[in-house]
Every structure is written in C-alpha cells, then in structure tokens.
Amino acid sequence: MQRSEGMEGHLGPLRRGVAWRIASRVSTWTLRGLAVIGFGSIVAFAPMSVTDLSWTENGSDNGKKKKVIVLPFDRMKLVEQRKARFGLPFFTTDTQTLEVEVKELVDLIHAAAQDPEVVALYGIFGGSTGRFEAGLAQIEEIRNAIRVFNESHRVHHEPCLENATSITGTSLSARSKNSIFPKKKSYAYAQVFDDPSSGNKEYYLASGFSFLQMQARGHLKLFGFSESKPFLKGALDMYDINVKIFRSGRFKDTPKILSNYGFDRDHLSNAWKHMKSLEDIFLSAISKSRNVDEARIREVMNFGGISAEHAERTGLIDFNPPIDPLSDFLFAAKNEDNYKKADYKWGDCIKIGFDATEAVTMVSYKKALIRRKRRAALKKKMEWMKHSMYEAIASVFPLGVALRLVDMTSPHFNLEKEHFLTAYPNKSGNEKIAVLHVNGLINESRGKPIINAIRKIKGDNNVKCVVLRIDSPGGSSITSEKILMELQNLQAPIICSMGNVAASGGYYIASNCYRIFAMPTTITGSIGAFGVRIDLSDFAYRYGVNVEHVVTAPLASSQSIFQPLTDKIDESVTREIDSCYDWFKTIVSVGRRLSREEVESVAEGRIWTGMRAKDVGLIDEFGGLQKAISYAQRTFCLCDEPEVEVWPTPTSALHQLQLLGMHNVFNRIFLGAKTGSLDLRSGVYLVIDENLAAQLLIGDILNEVDDSLMKTPEIMDEDYAGHNRSM
C-alpha cells in the first residue's frame, strides 16, 4: 500500500511503533482476503490475489497485442431481441446466418473502442448472395457505434451524440494528444454493393467505416428509395368480395390496399414525403462520412450502377483490390520485411495505417467480454469486501487510528473517493434499469408476455427506471390500451427508445413516456384508427351458397362475414372508430403536452421519420437504445453501474419446441417406447408427420407475412372477421 507523502515527516518513531506495524499488517492481510467478525476479531480465509483479475485474451496484460475484430455483416441479421437463447452467445457455424441483437453489437463495438488491445474493426459485406438484414434505424445505431470507435481517442459521455464530452473532465483536445488513447480505424470490404433493399442499406452502413474497399470487378448501385404497394381491389371485385374500410384520418393508408385500385392523392403525398425524408438523411450521412458532395452522390443515384473504378474516382470507395486484403494486412503489420513485401504487391492500398497483427472473430471476442465482465464483477466484490472489513476495523479505537495514519480514512477507505460516491448507493447491487421490448405486431398473443413482464417489473422495488424499447408498426387497439394502462400503473419513470418503427399502436404506448428517443430514420406517428369489414355474401351467392340469419336485434349478425353492410352497422362501426381515434389524440395531447390543434396537425394517420417527428414534437431526442439507457442511469440512478435487465425474458429451447409442435412428436415417441409399440419406420414418419409439417409450414408463412407487414406503419388485427379496430 502506498504511504501518504504528507504523513512522511510526521510519523517519526511511530514507524517502528505498534500502530504502524498494525496498519502495515492490515494492508497486507487485505490483499489475501479477510473476514471481520464483531469488533476487530479477524479470521483469515483462503488467499486470493486481486491482481490476477486483469483481463486479456490469454490472461496476460502486456499491452503488446494489436487485434482487429472481424464483423461478418455479409451473413448477419440484426434483431431487437432473439426469440430464444441456446447456451453460448452467437451459437452458429461460419456458414449460417448470424442472428445478433442490436444492443449486443453496439456494446461489443463500444467495448472494443475502450480495449487497448483492439486497434481496428474490419467489416465484411456481401453482394447478391449476402444475407445482411437490418432496418435503417438499426443501421444508424451501428454507424454511431463505429463513429465512437473511430473517435476512441475521445471519451464519449453519450455514445450517440455527435459532440461528446469527457467523463473524466479532461478536455477532448488534450485527450486526443495522449498516446495512451491512440486513434483507432475501421475498414470495410465488399465484393459488390448491389443490395436490392431500398436505399442500399449495406453501403449505408459500410460508408461509416474509415476505409472502404470493393473488389475490382464489383459494382455499386445507389438507386434511391421506393415504396411498393399491391392494391387488391381489382382482384376482390373479380370474386365479388366486398370490403368496407372505416378509418379516422385521411392519411391512414394501410387499409387502402383493400379498397383502392391505386394511390390516391393523400396516400401518394404521404408516401413521397416519407421517402424524400429518408433520402435526405441517407445523402447527408454518406456525404459527411465520405466527404463527397451530396450533389455528386445524387448524380450517381440518377446515373445507375457504377464500376469499382468509377466509385473510387467519385470518392465513394477508397480502394478496389482484386481480393480481400485482410490476410496481407495482418502479414504486413508484423514487421518491416513483411511490410516491404506487401508494399510491392499492394502499393498504396497497404499504406492506410493498418496496425493489427491478429484477427479476432466477433464470436470469440464476445466470449472474452463475458469473461472480462465476470472477472470485473469478482474484483468489484473483493473491493467491497475489503471496504466492509475496513469499516469494521475503523470502529475499533486503536485500529481506526492506525488506518488514519496511512491515509485510509472513512468512509471511502480503499476506494477512490469519486468512485465511492457514485458506487456506494449500489453497494449491494440493487439498482436496476429494466429494458422492456415491444416487438412486432401488437396483438393478444404478443401482448400477454409484455403485460406479464410489466407486472413483474412493478413488483421489483430495485427497478429505478424502465426503458421501453419499441419496434412495432402497431396492431390491436385493445391490446395497445392494455399495455399503456399497465405502463401507467408503474411507479418507476419510463424512457422510450424507438427502433426501426414505432407507429400507430406503437406510438400510442410510447406517447406518455417521460422522454422519447428515436433515430432520424425511425418511422413513427400514424396517429389514427381504422377497421376493416369483409362481406362475403355476394361471393357465397355466386357459388350457390345462401346464408340466412335469425336475429333478435338489428346488430346481432353484424359480426358475420356473410351479413351485408346495413346503415345501422355502418353507423355503429363508424362511431366506434371515431371514438378510438379521439381517445388516441387525447392520449398524445396529454403525454406530449401538445394542444388538440397541434395534435390534429400531426395526426390523421400521417407517418413521420424521426428527423421530421422531432420538429413537430412527437419525439424529444435523437439516439438509440444505448443512449436511452445512459440517460436513465444519469437521471434516475444514484450509482454509476446499475444492473440492466431485459424483459420479456427470452424463451427457453423447450418452449420453442413446444411452439413448433415438436413436443407432440416427442410425446408420441416416448409413449411408443414405453408401451413397446414403437418401431423405426413409425419413428421416422413421426418426425415428418402431416400435423407437424403443417404447423411448420404455417409458421414459415406467418413469419413471411410478419416481415412484410413490418414495413408498413400500421397493421390490422389478426382476426379479419367483423370490424376489429386497429391502430
């Protein structure tokens, strides 16, 4: 233990005295681990060295390693929350699609930015065979994380801010000059950039890297943004299927695919403004990261696909190597002779400051981070055990005096004073931030686990704040209302973080949050309500089916799909939809502190990008999930490291098998084995029996429908019979 220089001239004979010997022995004992019982009775237990807890990949901390983390975006699917966790993180082979949570990847990149052994990131992008799946808002969050990595010589207080400040108070200019925090670089390589998705999402993400490479015979396609809608009115007319749309808000466009033959003026205007806003954000971001004028990029968009050579001349890429140069980069960075050999082969391409000598996969680095986290938790526990021991020692008069002589003063003792002030409120690890996910269509089946999670959060007094993460286009108005009421019943404040889309019912449950964060490309708004009523009476009559109704009241048969629309039914449903819409506007007016006139000006089903939504008061700040959590921690937590819990908890593997119907197969196999009536042939057929095949097929179809509907800002309820309300 270091002795205080200020005490050096005043200790005198005490150095060899009893007090000094006791203090020295105390400082030595604590490194071995001690337990204090009562008033100074000390009992030693098994020795443990705290110095062994520093983390590196191989257990050493020599500071000489230079690693690059390889990010395989060519086979990556970004999701808000994995449906199930099967043991190890990112459990997959090199040929399978890698399902990664957005927060997981952002946290990994932020950790790499602070890791002195990691000097670079290397993103790999595919082409027409690539499997990269992500929404624009998710891509923005990853781009922000990469920007933080590129500027890791700075300390970012809030990872999503353009101009971050130092946590420690050190000026950023001084921090950037400090050799301990060298500037890191990021590299990207792609065979081609011809992502068929609107706006070319792959290039949008890759443009955030420091250096961008594309294979010499590759090509770049920036075709702008588009929205395609299939209108079904003509097909429904062919089969005499009548569809009546009830909607409040002339821009509530989703049900128009059933009632219109094409875009009407309002629908077209709404869609065009949305596409134009996305394109402006897209062009501005690429222009800034690539240092290319927006007008030049627009010329490329209007021209069509361009070659790698043309893209390099334009400034949209940096190099066009014939193969992925990563292995040669690693070879060249090891010594001067290797560099000269690589320089002869690659020329200017090798002169980009690539310092890494070892490539690390994202999976292995994630595992290393988990080990580091465990070690850090153990080290923290040991520090607090020592602190508790010092507290007990200080209560004994002669030992307390000895501690003060070696500058071990109460109340922080062995801890840094600033760290003690921020960490002591959570000494026992009780403070929590709950991250509550609302993903996909809002319906009864998906609403139940969300409501159950909210009730469990309410029962935990350690939860200081709830971060509501929404990635939903809306759905059932009834389920949306249930979720909103449960949220309002929470004692903890609620911060909202919007993902790719938080519109209609998604915005309904977000509107009362303390603060709303969204990315500029987030789709939100769509304040309105609609209902769909399908009438198959003419369709049935066409094929000789006559349906008659016996009723005791005028509306008794109104829910039947074979009941023609009457004025009474029309009036009833219209009144219901208008009431739902009026209540929606009231919720937004109260939650966002807007007048009814202001709400009316942004409502009627209009959809907004996050960029436009901030201007009209529908959101508060730009930022992703990590920024929302950071804000919650600073605003509502006393400690600097609260525990972050994720809700609803991912389902187990067994539950996933039950959802797929596999448990029926297993039960039949086990039952057959138990009764002795099972043979190999029946076992084989059991695995592929028609019931299971049908369930799996329906599941695939529903997943495809879900993915397509997620692109729209509002969705009808799953039950199309009658006139269900939706948001």
Side-chain angles (χ1 to χ4, degrees):
M1 180 171 295
Q2 298 294 328
R3 299 175 181 177
S4 172
E5 294 182 2
M7 299 292 296
E8 203 60 41
H10 302 285
L11 294 176
L14 276 177
R15 293 180 182 224
R16 290 178 296 276
V18 176
W20 181 265
R21 288 200 302 272
I22 292 174
S24 300
R25 291 297 298 274
V26 167
S27 63
T28 303
W29 289 339
T30 55
L31 291 178
R32 298 176 182 173
L34 299 172
V36 179
I37 303 176
F39 293 92
S41 175
I42 302 174
V43 181
F45 59 84
M48 180 176 292
S49 174
V50 177
T51 58
D52 292 338
L53 299 177
S54 60
W55 173 84
T56 58
E57 186 70 19
N58 60 1
S60 64
D61 193 13
N62 52 31
K64 296 180 180 179
K65 293 181 179 293
K66 292 184 178 181
K67 300 177 180 178
V68 55
I69 299 177
V70 181
L71 305 175
F73 291 108
D74 59 332
R75 60 185 185 91
M76 190 182 298
K77 178 181 179 181
L78 291 178
V79 297
E80 289 295 323
Q81 188 179 25
R82 288 198 294 271
K83 294 180 180 179
R85 298 188 185 277
F86 298 90
L88 293 176
F90 306 119
F91 184 74
T92 182
T93 66
D94 291 339
T95 59
Q96 291 176 320
T97 299
L98 201 61
E99 191 175 78
V100 184
E101 292 181 3
V102 177
K103 183 181 183 300
E104 213 163 20
L105 182 56
V106 169
D107 289 345
L108 185 144
I109 296 174
H110 285 169
Q114 300 173 11
D115 190 337
E117 290 189 355
V118 178
V119 297
L121 298 176
Y122 199 90
I124 299 177
F125 295 85
S128 57
T129 60
R131 287 168 284 173
F132 178 61
E133 297 180 43
L136 283 174
Q138 293 172 332
I139 291 175
E140 281 194 289
E141 292 194 50
I142 306 304
R143 287 182 100 254
N144 279 338
I146 293 170
R147 176 182 56 79
V148 170
F149 182 90
N150 294 338
E151 300 174 1
S152 54
H153 53 291
R154 299 165 48 183
V155 176
H156 293 257
H157 184 57
E158 289 184 304
C160 295
L161 287 179
E162 288 291 336
N163 300 303
T165 56
S166 171
I167 296 176
T168 61
T170 309
S171 67
L172 297 180
S173 58
R175 188 65 183 269
S176 63
K177 297 176 183 178
N178 193 335
S179 59
I180 300 177
F181 300 95
K183 186 173 183 179
K184 302 184 179 185
K185 298 177 182 179
S186 55
Y187 307 83
Y189 173 82
Q191 291 290 333
V192 293
F193 283 113
D194 63 352
D195 177 15
S197 65
S198 181
N200 198 315
K201 296 175 183 178
E202 279 193 301
Y203 181 78
Y204 183 47
L205 175 55
S207 65
F209 286 74
S210 305
F211 297 93
L212 183 52
Q213 307 158 100
M214 184 168 65
Q215 202 273 338
R217 298 303 302 166
H219 50 270
L220 170 64
K221 295 180 180 179
L222 296 180
F223 289 169
F225 288 79
S226 67
E227 178 180 331
S228 302
K229 291 285 187 182
F231 292 91
L232 307 179
K233 175 63 173 171
L236 296 175
D237 288 346
M238 292 174 61
Y239 292 95
D240 292 329
I241 299 176
N242 303 311
V243 178
K244 172 66 176 180
I245 305 298
F246 302 87
R247 60 189 176 94
S248 293
R250 59 194 182 99
F251 296 100
K252 200 69 172 175
D253 299 325
T254 294
K256 292 181 179 179
I257 63 173
L258 300 175
S259 61
N260 290 16
Y261 295 104
F263 285 104
D264 58 27
R265 179 175 298 181
D266 292 335
H267 193 174
L268 186 61
S269 172
N270 199 21
W272 186 87
K273 288 179 181 178
H274 175 61
M275 293 294 104
K276 186 66 171 63
S277 179
L278 289 178
E279 184 180 83
D280 291 343
I281 297 168
F282 179 82
L283 291 175
S284 176
I286 293 178
S287 174
K288 185 175 181 179
S289 59
R290 297 300 306 164
N291 195 25
V292 177
D293 189 70
E294 287 188 33
R296 191 75 179 272
I297 303 175
R298 192 176 293 278
E299 288 178 3
V300 172
M301 291 172 60
N302 295 335
F303 178 80
I306 59 176
S307 65
E309 183 180 358
H310 188 181
E312 183 179 359
R313 291 199 307 269
T314 309
L316 295 177
I317 66 170
D318 297 299
F319 301 104
N320 52 1
I323 61 173
D324 185 352
L326 176 58
S327 59
D328 285 339
F329 283 174
L330 294 168
F331 173 79
K334 291 182 178 179
N335 55 59
E336 187 66 26
D337 291 338
N338 290 357
Y339 180 84
K340 290 179 180 179
K341 294 177 182 178
D343 184 31
Y344 177 79
K345 177 179 179 180
W346 290 99
D348 291 340
C349 185
I350 204 70
K351 301 174 182 178
I352 56 177
F354 190 93
D355 298 328
T357 57
E358 179 183 348
V360 179
T361 66
M362 183 174 65
V363 175
S364 61
Y365 189 68
K366 173 65 178 177
K367 294 176 183 177
L369 289 179
I370 292 175
R371 292 195 296 270
R372 178 171 70 175
K373 185 177 180 180
R374 290 171 180 169
R375 288 172 178 147
L378 180 58
K379 182 177 180 181
K380 179 181 178 181
K381 184 176 181 179
M382 291 290 295
E383 288 177 346
W384 282 112
M385 288 174 64
K386 288 163 50 179
H387 184 272
S388 298
M389 185 196 64
Y390 283 127
E391 285 182 321
I393 292 175
S395 64
V396 181
F397 173 71
L399 298 181
V401 173
L403 288 177
R404 288 195 293 271
L405 290 176
V406 291
D407 201 26
M408 298 287 286
T409 57
S410 176
H412 47 86
F413 296 113
N414 59 307
L415 302 175
E416 293 289 339
K417 187 174 182 179
E418 291 183 2
H419 173 67
F420 172 80
L421 293 175
T422 57
Y424 187 79
N426 200 34
K427 176 181 176 181
S428 58
N430 290 332
E431 285 197 328
K432 299 177 182 178
I433 294 176
V435 177
L436 177 64
H437 283 274
V438 179
N439 300 325
L441 303 181
I442 299 176
N443 53 37
E444 187 67 24
S445 61
R446 290 183 175 175
K448 285 181 179 179
I450 295 171
I451 292 173
N452 291 336
I454 296 173
R455 292 171 179 170
K456 291 179 181 178
I457 292 171
K458 182 184 177 182
D460 189 348
N461 294 327
N462 295 323
V463 174
K464 305 303 178 183
C465 183
V466 176
V467 176
L468 181 64
R469 175 67 171 185
I470 301 176
D471 191 40
S472 169
S476 167
S477 62
I478 297 174
T479 307
S480 299
E481 175 71 9
K482 288 181 181 179
I483 295 174
L484 177 62
M485 292 300 103
E486 292 288 346
L487 289 171
Q488 290 182 345
N489 198 33
L490 287 174
Q491 297 297 321
I494 303 173
I495 306 297
C496 179
S497 170
M498 295 180 172
N500 294 316
V501 55
S504 199
Y507 189 78
Y508 183 84
I509 63 177
S511 56
N512 274 245
C513 290
Y514 180 86
R515 199 160 191 82
I516 298 179
F517 292 83
M519 302 305 294
T521 55
T522 297
I523 302 173
T524 189
S526 191
I527 301 171
F530 72 90
V532 177
R533 191 179 189 283
I534 299 177
D535 175 13
L536 299 182
S537 57
D538 290 341
F539 173 80
Y541 183 79
R542 175 177 179 173
Y543 291 97
V545 178
N546 181 36
V547 180
E548 296 184 352
H549 306 279
V550 178
V551 299
T552 60
L555 299 176
S557 62
S558 60
Q559 298 291 328
S560 172
I561 59 175
F562 297 104
Q563 170 63 55
L565 183 67
T566 64
D567 292 341
K568 192 71 174 178
I569 296 176
D570 189 299
E571 179 184 345
S572 175
V573 177
T574 300
R575 184 169 57 247
E576 184 180 352
I577 298 299
D578 289 345
S579 174
C580 181
Y581 177 47
D582 187 67
W583 179 243
F584 197 162
K585 290 186 291 184
T586 301
I587 290 292
V588 174
S589 176
V590 173
R592 300 301 302 160
R593 295 178 177 83
L594 299 173
S595 66
R596 290 297 293 239
E597 291 75 19
E598 289 174 316
V599 173
E600 194 67 46
S601 67
V602 299
E604 292 197 89
R606 295 179 178 88
I607 57 174
W608 306 83
T609 59
M611 182 69 73
R612 297 170 64 213
K614 189 173 185 296
D615 295 335
V616 298
L618 293 180
I619 69 167
D620 297 298
E621 290 189 44
F622 295 137
L625 178 57
Q626 190 60 47
K627 185 176 179 182
I629 294 175
S630 175
Y631 178 87
Q633 178 265 314
R634 293 194 325 273
T635 308
F636 301 107
C637 296
L638 296 176
C639 72
D640 55 353
E641 294 181 359
E643 179 185 353
V644 178
E645 287 187 336
V646 178
W647 297 90
T649 54
T651 54
S652 66
L654 178 60
H655 183 60
Q656 287 291 307
L657 292 174
Q658 289 175 340
L659 293 178
L660 291 174
M662 292 294 289
H663 65 297
N664 293 328
V665 176
F666 295 147
N667 288 341
R668 289 166 63 183
I669 292 177
F670 295 151
L671 182 61
K674 185 176 181 180
T675 59
S677 60
L678 180 68
D679 59 20
L680 278 178
R681 289 179 299 173
S682 63
V684 173
Y685 284 108
L686 279 171
V687 176
I688 57 172
D689 71 352
E690 295 179 357
N691 182 44
L692 175 59
Q695 292 184 57
L696 293 174
L697 178 59
I698 292 172
D700 291 340
I701 294 173
L702 291 177
N703 287 334
E704 293 292 330
V705 172
D706 188 16
D707 291 340
S708 64
L709 292 178
M710 279 291 289
K711 300 176 183 178
T712 64
E714 62 271 338
I715 302 298
M716 293 174 289
D717 202 355
E718 70 276 23
D719 183 6
Y720 283 37
H723 47 267
N724 291 295
R725 297 195 311 270
S726 298
M727 289 181 171

